[in-house]
Amino acid sequence: MKLETFALERYQSIWENRVAWNLAESGVHPLRVTDLVNTPELQVAMLEQELGYPQTNGTIELRTLIASIYPGSTIEHVEITNGGSEANCVLLMRLLEPGDQVVFMTPNYLQARGLARALGADVRAWPLREAPGAVAGWTADTDELRSLVTRKTRAILLCNPNNPTGARLDAGTLDEVCRTASSVGAWVIGDEIYRGAEREADDTPTVWGRYERAVVTSGLSKAYGLPGLRIGWIVAPPELIADLWGIHDYTTIAPGAINDRLARMALVPERRATLLARTRGIIRTNYPVLRRWIEQREGMVHVPPEAGAIAFIRYPHAISSTELTSRLRDEAGVLIVPGNHFDMDGYVRVGFGSDPTYLARALAVAGEFLDAVTAHAR
Ligand SMILES: Cc1ncc(COP(=O)(O)O)c(C=O)c1O
């Protein structure tokens, strides 16, 4: 199996610990163990945790908590994985064969595209388009989706809320996607790892429950601020979940016992609500700081993200996003993500989920550098 380089992850892995200012993250500032394990009872539970293999598809308690988030699901509908990335991986390993077609919402986190291609699938892009004007937004055209779907389409892959734009598909669009998929018996896979990290007041609709072949992948890394736990999940019909458990035997066997334990503490309903409120609080506090910064930069424009701690910004400089972000990194020590890592040159992705003081300082350094590049470009 030949995998293309996953440019975004390679770039972050190489640089994130070397730069002075990291604004390449897509999540919010993470919690500490002590934020989760914050009572004497929980401390005892944590320290007494046996370090054997936990139940390999996730403990019943953890799967029960996750099933409660998705109406109509039971523990038989849930498989626990090591991060959302393993969820996507085992799912595509199970579903795709050489010669299958896959329709892939773009721009997008390119893990699923790389995996699908490596598995021999033909990947067709279904693009969100940036609509300018007074009410700027990213729009998805379901007529265009219908024109992309054929009898060979095995799956339609969504990222909702979307990385890198922060845009969301509404319930009507999700229903239309499901109708289109059902016309050819395709699966609809919603990577919903940013669901719960809304900047706007309302919740993002899930694809779960709209269609018998709808599947959700998600996890604790983004909306819950717990990427270091490496806990992800798949919610799908029980027959599919049974197969995925079998694939999981080959990949990592089981989640870490401590991770499963801490995930159970995080997803108790009251605690879950607190964690999501924390994430939304960070996003709502920090976004205006980034927005002002964008507005102060001549020629920079963006559609306000509806969810997630990331903004996808069009820049005016007459150089590629790879060159711009490399220079920003090497000359000013600030890491942001080039649009090229989403096949969208002319854009950069800036993460704004960090500590507010850190964010303000990093933006000040980046702003000074970018303004100088603009001035020299004239
Ligand atoms: C859309 C999307 N899915 C999955 C992942 C991977 O998540 P995890 O860190 O839980 O493996 C990411 C990480 O950035 C992501 O943006």
Side-chain angles (χ1 to χ4, degrees):
M1 177 171 172
K2 247 196 146 90
L3 279 162
E4 59 201 58
T5 300
F6 191 169
L8 169 65
E9 288 298 338
R10 275 292 73 219
Y11 175 79
Q12 287 192 257
S13 297
I14 291 170
W15 293 107
E16 65 191 350
N17 297 310
R18 293 197 201 170
V19 292
W21 306 103
N22 180 13
L23 300 183
E25 267 304 323
S26 61
V28 295
H29 195 70
L31 287 117
R32 294 171 190 278
V33 174
T34 179
D35 298 325
L36 279 184
V37 188
N38 61 354
T39 66
E41 295 74 33
L42 291 177
Q43 279 166 16
V44 171
M46 170 75 182
L47 293 174
E48 291 299 318
Q49 173 65 46
E50 276 192 3
L51 295 176
Y53 288 103
Q55 176 142 359
T56 63
N57 55 340
T59 55
I60 290 178
E61 190 187 337
L62 180 55
R63 284 182 291 130
T64 303
L65 288 166
I66 290 167
S68 73
I69 303 171
Y70 301 93
S73 74
T74 68
I75 56 170
E76 309 298 329
H77 292 79
V78 180
E79 169 77 15
I80 306 299
T81 56
N82 286 276
S85 43
E86 193 189 24
N88 291 329
C89 186
V90 294
L91 188 57
L92 295 182
M93 283 170 76
R94 161 66 180 76
L95 292 182
L96 299 185
E97 305 268 338
D100 284 343
Q101 280 173 356
V102 159
V103 176
F104 184 62
M105 176 181 180
T106 63
N108 204 328
Y109 182 66
L110 293 181
Q111 182 204 9
R113 187 185 73 179
L115 282 168
R117 283 179 176 167
L119 290 162
D122 166 28
V123 180
R124 302 175 153 204
W126 178 41
L128 289 177
R129 295 190 200 282
E130 189 180 353
V135 191
W138 291 93
T139 57
D141 180 349
T142 48
D143 288 338
E144 190 171 353
L145 175 67
R146 271 190 295 280
S147 75
L148 291 167
V149 164
T150 73
R151 297 191 104 60
K152 284 188 167 178
T153 305
R154 182 76 167 135
I156 300 174
L157 303 175
L158 310 175
C159 178
N160 189 42
N162 179 253
N163 176 9
T165 63
R168 297 186 296 167
L169 301 177
D170 60 24
T173 303
L174 291 178
D175 285 336
E176 199 48 48
V177 170
C178 290
R179 260 195 295 279
T180 304
S182 78
S183 70
V184 293
W187 293 87
V188 176
I189 301 170
D191 182 333
E192 298 184 354
I193 201 158
Y194 294 91
R195 184 165 174 255
E198 286 77 15
R199 187 174 64 81
E200 308 283 333
D202 55 327
D203 293 336
T204 303
T206 173
V207 79
W208 177 251
R210 293 178 191 279
Y211 169 45
E212 66 273 14
R213 290 194 159 196
V215 176
V216 169
T217 61
S218 191
L220 294 179
S221 301
K222 310 296 176 185
Y224 297 88
L226 295 166
L229 276 191
R230 312 306 304 133
I231 289 285
W233 57 80
I234 305 158
V235 188
E239 315 74 58
L240 178 58
I241 287 292
D243 289 356
L244 298 177
W245 188 7
I247 295 175
H248 200 185
D249 292 342
Y250 275 98
T251 52
T252 59
I253 304 178
I258 296 273
N259 301 351
D260 187 296
R261 163 67 74 178
L262 288 171
R264 280 179 264 157
M265 294 181 190
L267 288 174
V268 168
E270 210 170 279
R271 177 61 74 80
R272 174 173 179 258
T274 310
L275 296 188
L276 294 178
R278 170 187 180 270
T279 299
R280 291 180 188 202
I282 293 173
I283 289 172
R284 287 169 194 170
T285 304
N286 289 5
Y287 173 65
V289 177
L290 178 65
R291 185 178 182 131
R292 268 196 303 281
W293 180 87
I294 295 169
E295 286 166 357
Q296 285 161 3
R297 310 261 93 69
E298 203 183 321
M300 277 203 170
V301 282
H302 81 300
V303 174
E306 294 172 59
I310 39 180
F312 204 46
I313 306 167
R314 231 166 344 115
Y315 62 81
H317 309 78
I319 57 175
S320 75
S321 58
T322 302
E323 189 184 342
L324 184 67
T325 54
S326 302
R327 286 191 54 194
L328 177 61
R329 181 192 72 217
D330 296 341
E331 295 173 35
V334 185
L335 193 69
I336 62 173
V337 179
N340 271 338
H341 288 178
F342 299 94
D343 278 356
M344 296 272 283
D345 201 15
Y347 289 81
V348 289
R349 190 189 77 180
V350 177
F352 59 88
S354 49
D355 167 78
T357 313
Y358 178 99
L359 176 66
R361 286 202 189 144
L363 288 177
V365 175
E368 201 174 311
F369 172 82
L370 292 171
D371 293 348
V373 174
T374 311
H376 288 137
R378 281 208 192 100

